[in-house]
């Protein structure tokens, strides 16, 4: 799996943990769980693959948008 990802696994896990921490801090006293959230390895792989897929789709849409808008602007 490490060879087929765009974002390094350690960096992605760090971002996921940081986001989870910020969400837990946002909940504050309403949270009933005081420990650290644990992530299964398969869940992180699935989250990373879907995140990268969505990022690639986003870039493809923007590329097509700008490419065709520039071509139409030249005519």
């Amino acid at each position: 799996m490490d060879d087929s990802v765009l974002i390094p696994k350690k960096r992605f896990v760090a971002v996921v943990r940081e986001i989870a921490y910020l969400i837990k801090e946002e909940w504050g006293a309403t949270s009933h769980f005081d420990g650290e959230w644990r992530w299964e390895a398969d869940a992180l792989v699935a989250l990373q693959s879907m995140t990268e897929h969505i990022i690639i789709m986003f870039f493809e849409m923007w590329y097509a948008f700008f490419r065709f808008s520039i071509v139409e602007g030249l005519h």
Side-chain angles (χ1 to χ4, degrees):
M1 178 65 190
D2 290 335
D3 296 339
S4 63
V5 295
L6 300 173
I7 305 168
K9 185 177 180 180
K10 288 184 180 183
R11 304 268 181 171
F12 185 79
V13 170
V15 169
V16 168
R17 287 188 177 153
E18 182 179 349
I19 292 170
Y21 176 78
L22 293 173
I23 290 171
K24 194 174 87 170
E25 289 294 314
E26 183 72 27
W27 285 354
T30 61
S31 176
H32 65 279
F33 180 70
D34 292 331
E36 183 179 336
W37 289 335
R38 300 178 67 122
W39 295 86
E40 290 188 14
D42 291 341
L44 287 170
V45 168
L47 184 61
Q48 183 171 3
S49 64
M50 288 310 302
T51 301
E52 291 182 356
H53 180 70
I54 290 170
I55 289 171
I56 290 170
M57 286 183 2
F58 179 76
F59 286 145
E60 288 173 348
M61 287 187 296
W62 275 104
Y63 173 76
F65 173 75
F66 283 116
R67 181 170 184 235
F68 294 125
S69 66
I70 289 172
V71 171
E72 289 177 5
L74 294 176
H75 290 246

